[in-house]
Amino acid sequence: YDPLSGDVMAFMGFPTAKDPAWEERHPDKSVCCIITEAPYEYFKKWAAQHSGRREESYKALKEEIGKRYVKHILLRFHPELKDAIDFVEVGTPLSSEFYLGSTNGTSYGLAMERERFYNPDAVAALRPDTTVKGLWVTGQDVTTAGIAGAIMSAYLSVSTMLGYGIVETLAEKGLIRDLKKISSVKRLRTEKAIKLL
């Protein structure tokens, strides 16, 4: 995938819209976050250069990518923002590698390949429980990528720690059922302070 000539595929969100105090603290300002994927190989020639001190060709490439995504993603859906953009920052796989310590700048952990879900060894290895006593694993790599995968993984991990089997957990006969029985949880549900599935 070439971020300068390929189809423009991305996620766009406005994280500041979720902060109820943002407008008060930063009137008439917002933050738009556009996330896409790009191959590490595309930026590899700058990998040996220190972050923040890479040569001008790298900075120019980032600027070109930024302009392209602003035009084809942000302004496609919000053309009214054309003259309201104050600042654009572009991160590359090199940025993720430097700031997150991720291998080759990956943003979603393990590759989402067929083998991950169909290879019995891979399936057996990607579980909340481990062969090390007291060591549990959770996060998107236990299930599937992203926030939903991380949440699902946390649920599976807690269920496993408490001794519920995977079948019980998936059939909703485990952790959630038992949480609903706890009197303090019942009281909170009655008061509408929490909502369980």
Side-chain angles (χ1 to χ4, degrees), residues 30 54 79 88 124 133 153 181-182 190:
S30 185
R54 292 192 174 102
V88 174
K133 185 177 179 181
S153 171
K181 293 178 183 177
I182 298 172
T190 304

Side-chain angles (χ1 to χ4, degrees), residues 15 164 169 184 186:
Y164 297 104
T169 300
S184 60
K186 283 184 181 178

Side-chain angles (χ1 to χ4, degrees), residues 54-138:
R54 292 192 174 102
E55 62 189 50
E56 288 303 314
S57 59
Y58 176 75
K59 295 173 186 173
L61 175 62
K62 284 177 44 170
E63 186 175 336
E64 195 174 344
I65 291 169
K67 286 179 181 175
R68 184 167 193 255
Y69 278 79
V70 165
K71 177 182 176 183
H72 292 286
I73 300 294
L74 176 63
L75 298 180
R76 175 181 171 199
F77 296 99
H78 296 284
E80 72 279 8
L81 297 177
K82 184 174 189 248
D83 297 321
I85 300 169
D86 291 334
F87 177 76
V88 174
E89 177 69 35
V90 174
T92 70
L94 298 180
S95 310
S96 297
E97 185 175 56
F98 179 77
Y99 290 105
L100 305 176
S102 61
T103 304
N104 291 337
T106 58
S107 60
Y108 280 112
L110 298 176
M112 289 288 128
E113 296 172 344
R114 184 178 192 276
E115 182 173 315
R116 176 176 169 173
F117 300 100
Y118 290 99
N119 178 310
D121 293 333
V123 172
L126 297 173
R127 301 174 51 90
D129 53 333
T130 69
T131 57
V132 178
K133 185 177 179 181
L135 176 63
W136 305 90
V137 180
T138 196

Side-chain angles (χ1 to χ4, degrees), residues 14-32 81 83-87:
F14 294 84
T16 52
K18 299 174 187 174
D19 181 351
W22 179 266
E23 183 62 30
E24 181 182 315
R25 291 182 292 135
H26 308 281
D28 301 319
K29 299 283 182 194
S30 185
V31 174
C32 174
L81 297 177
D83 297 321
I85 300 169
D86 291 334
F87 177 76

